[in-house]
Amino acid sequence: MKKFCEMVLVFLLLVSPFSTGAAEQPANVARDLLAAGTGSYGCSAPDIAHYVARRAAGPIAIDGRLDEPSWQKAEKSPRFVDMVTGAPGSYDTRAAVLWDDQYLYIGMWLEEPYMEAHQTKTGSLIFLENDAEVFIDGGDAYSEFETNALGTTYQVFFIWRDAYKKGGVFDIPEFDIFKNNALTFGGDFDRSDQYFWVGTHPRGLRWAFLNWQFPGLLHASHVAGKINDNSATDKGWTVELAFPCKGMKYLAAGRSLPPKDGDIWRIFFGRFEKLMPGGVEMNPHPAWVLSRHAVYDTHIPECFPFIQMSSQTVGR
């Protein structure tokens, strides 16, 4: 995620936090497009990747190494591409997904010849440096997870404002926007005059819960080289994640937990890279993703890859 725009405190005093009927029609159109995978903003259907996630063949220890037999047998994704153009990323990046009755597992392999990571505090804006990112879509909400090579993490839970209804599924203390100091978010680069108040996405604004942590999430990074030492070339780093099925209830949107054979989830995989050619920072930072978005915005759930759950054990 780039240039997160925090502009809500005054807005909170001006409008009700709950959706009204006025926004329902465009929101329904956006949801239909999301379900169809056609892309109401940014990508088109041919841009969207499809991946089959198989059951893990045995226990997986979350240490970042991705060396269990299940990972060795798992199908790696194609090389990530530039988020806007679709051209192959400058550094090789791939992902794989596994699952069992307790967890959804995600592995990422990131080539990085000169590894850099300086943020060490949880919740730091690590997307300003080099990171790996995973978003899980739940239709009316989605989660964002980011990590760097040091293992520092940044997490946010987003709820579409039109889905935040009094008496609805998100009208609970965990998502009380006042007690949790929620902010509104309109999409990357929403500060332009055209999108300042309504955001860049056709569905409009989201409530962003920055103090949220994915319940029970296990995560680890492993480096092959030396971080912040450019005296020698590094191979890169790997990321290993385990999202507990029981922690995904607000993202399930009617799907089974644990998943069933044939279930479809939408999951974003990406990375941002701070490059300094000739000592000058490249802006915007290159973004490499599994599915092209056609615009410089990670927050487009209808562009997230389709992940189909298979009951077949990996390698069989």
Side-chain angles (χ1 to χ4, degrees), residues 4-15 17 161 177-178 181-185 191 196-197 205-208 210:
F4 188 94
C5 299
E6 303 176 354
M7 60 182 190
V8 70
L9 295 181
V10 174
F11 191 64
L12 283 173
L13 301 176
L14 298 176
V15 300
R161 189 170 178 270
I177 64 172
F178 297 103
N181 296 317
L183 306 176
T184 54
F185 177 64
R191 285 289 186 174
F196 190 88
W197 289 115
L205 299 174
R206 284 136 278 193
W207 289 114
L210 277 70

Side-chain angles (χ1 to χ4, degrees), residues 182-206:
L183 306 176
T184 54
F185 177 64
D188 292 335
F189 297 105
D190 64 356
R191 285 289 186 174
S192 65
D193 56 355
Q194 182 180 0
Y195 301 110
F196 190 88
W197 289 115
V198 297
T200 52
H201 193 283
R203 193 167 176 180
L205 299 174
R206 284 136 278 193

Side-chain angles (χ1 to χ4, degrees), residues 51 84 101 125 190 243 255-256 277 287 290:
Y51 180 93
V84 179
D101 289 344
L125 303 182
D190 64 356
F243 293 91
R255 290 167 293 198
S256 298
L290 180 52

